[in-house]
Amino acid sequence: MKFLPLTAVLIVISLLLGCGAGHPKLMSIAVSPATATATSSPQGTVGYSATGTFDNKTSRTLTVADGLTWKSSNTAMATIDSTGTATCITPGAVTITASAPADLQLTVNNSVQNTSPTVNGTASLTCN
């Protein structure tokens, strides 16, 4: 009976670690290139990447597997796909936003809805 409380504590710790507790938290996202220009006729493209910086001072490239999503501020001027490739459609300026959950560990390879705060990074795209 003396080992029952210890066993319960070990189970709780295992569950917390398995749920992402103790993993680095995403603090910021840098989008590269920060500014870009492409033609709208013919439709030019720009490839963007997102680098995440974590609370343990490490950084790495983020991907769709991390929950990374891309958005254009005006899809009539430029679109962006899930891989970060933006396509100019008409002349104008748009903001490209990369977003990912702060706690990436909840997103990777499971169907659990990640409810952690979202971290964003932005870049500008000018379509000529």
Side-chain angles (χ1 to χ4, degrees):
M1 288 309 247
K2 290 181 180 181
F3 296 108
L4 186 57
L6 178 60
T7 303
V9 169
L10 290 175
I11 290 172
V12 169
I13 289 171
S14 296
L15 289 173
L16 287 174
L17 290 176
C19 290
H23 295 287
K25 188 171 286 266
L26 181 64
M27 301 304 289
S28 65
I29 296 175
V31 178
S32 182
T35 60
T37 302
T39 61
S40 55
S41 181
Q43 293 182 346
T45 61
V46 175
Y48 287 93
S49 64
T51 301
T53 301
F54 298 85
D55 62 357
N56 65 356
K57 307 292 189 247
T58 62
S59 61
R60 67 173 174 82
T61 301
L62 302 175
T63 67
V64 173
D66 296 313
L68 179 68
T69 59
W70 294 96
K71 185 177 92 173
S72 167
S73 63
N74 186 336
T75 56
M77 286 185 197
T79 60
I80 188 159
D81 66 17
S82 63
T83 66
T85 300
T87 303
C88 285
I89 299 169
T90 60
V94 297
T95 299
I96 300 298
T97 303
S99 302
D103 188 353
L104 301 182
Q105 296 299 321
L106 292 176
T107 303
V108 179
N109 295 326
N110 66 33
S111 60
V112 176
Q113 181 70 25
N114 191 331
T115 58
S116 70
T118 301
V119 179
N120 299 311
T122 60
S124 58
L125 172 61
T126 301
C127 299
N128 293 325

